[in-house]
Amino acid sequence: DIQLTQSPSFLSASVGDRVTITCRASQGIGNLLVWYQQRPGKAPNLLIDAASALESGVPSRFSGSGSGTEFTLTISSLQPEDFATYYCQHRHSYPLTFGGGTKVEIK
Amino acid sequence: EVQLVESGGDLVQPGGSLRLSCPVSGFTFSSHWMTWVRQAPGKGLEWVANINPDGAVTWYADSVKGRFTTSRDNAKNSLYLQMNSLRAEDTAVYFCARLRGTRSTFDSWGQGTLVTVSS
């Protein structure tokens, strides 16, 4: 099974900060990585597919990069509505797995 | 507008059974793979099962294999999750979601339904 390790698990930041979240896969998965945002009490929301393809309607301050085993999600200028938990997920093979999540909180 | 609305969550005793439903609207259900994902209280997301458009192909997480069965009724635009031999560790909010094509990218989600396994 492919394990996904996200870091950090918790991040405290201010509005306007640049934020980077890392997701490492236990084996190479090409670009078959997806990012989701989940606000408290809500369902996850798709942000980025195929490591770097921004979903329609997602603000351009979000970007994704990486391939193989190391991936990053970057928020260029954190906005109040971005305070949430972010998850990576691979779609390389079964079983599908998610990273443990990164909670972004207001400093 | 794409809508998925889970129902059927409840308090059930260990060893018991429960069936979740997920009726959908706003898209051609019979053309899409579907999935179940769960989230234990205060924890992260865990993939549970996928099912192909005609229901003939299913995939399960090891943690639920042999106990959970996903199925669908394309005439009723509905997805189901039959959960048997429930354990305390199955306590979670269960989400249904739609896959994008044949890729396991979950592009539309329901709001979730809470299953609590406790005596």
Side-chain angles (χ1 to χ4, degrees):
Chain A
D1 297 3
I2 297 170
Q3 312 300 320
L4 296 178
T5 303
Q6 278 185 245
S7 60
S9 55
F10 176 86
L11 187 150
S12 182
S14 301
V15 172
D17 283 353
R18 180 182 181 88
V19 165
T20 299
I21 297 168
T22 298
C23 178
R24 290 188 173 86
S26 59
Q27 65 187 73
I29 57 172
N31 70 340
L32 301 180
L33 190 94
V34 187
W35 290 98
Y36 301 91
Q37 175 193 66
Q38 187 179 34
R39 296 190 176 103
K42 301 294 186 183
N45 182 52
L46 174 62
L47 293 178
I48 289 171
D49 190 17
S52 60
L54 197 66
E55 186 69 6
S56 175
V58 174
S60 59
R61 62 181 178 272
F62 290 91
S63 64
S65 65
S67 67
T69 61
E70 186 151 338
F71 303 85
T72 59
L73 172 69
T74 299
I75 310 172
S76 60
S77 177
L78 203 62
Q79 298 301 301
E81 59 269 30
D82 302 336
F83 291 95
T85 300
Y86 294 85
Y87 294 94
C88 58
Q89 173 234 321
H90 82 80
R91 54 180 179 83
H92 177 273
S93 56
Y94 291 107
L96 307 173
T97 54
F98 290 86
T102 297
K103 187 174 185 179
V104 178
E105 290 201 342
I106 302 173
K107 182 183 284 185
Chain B
E1 180 190 5
V2 173
Q3 286 195 319
L4 304 89
V5 183
E6 302 90 339
S7 64
D10 204 348
L11 171 63
V12 60
Q13 292 190 339
S17 298
L18 207 58
R19 188 195 197 206
L20 306 184
S21 298
C22 176
V24 310
S25 60
F27 66 98
T28 305
F29 178 67
S30 60
S31 297
H32 283 267
W33 282 74
M34 298 294 293
T35 193
W36 291 95
V37 172
R38 68 184 181 182
Q39 186 168 37
K43 301 298 184 183
L45 302 171
E46 180 187 14
W47 170 74
V48 172
N50 276 11
I51 185 168
N52 81 322
D54 68 7
V57 178
T58 54
W59 294 89
Y60 296 94
D62 285 347
S63 58
V64 306
K65 201 173 294 182
R67 300 187 300 122
F68 289 12
T69 302
T70 188
S71 62
R72 61 194 296 160
D73 185 335
N74 287 343
K76 295 183 177 179
N77 286 336
S78 291
L79 177 70
Y80 305 101
L81 184 67
Q82 177 66 43
M83 303 184 294
N84 298 331
S85 302
L86 282 161
R87 306 166 180 166
E89 55 265 36
D90 296 319
T91 295
V93 173
Y94 285 73
F95 297 98
C96 62
R98 183 183 77 173
L99 273 69
R100 174 163 293 168
T102 57
R103 293 178 281 174
S104 284
T105 299
F106 309 141
D107 66 0
S108 295
W109 296 67
Q111 85 290 346
T113 188
L114 177 62
V115 173
T116 303
V117 185
S118 175
S119 55

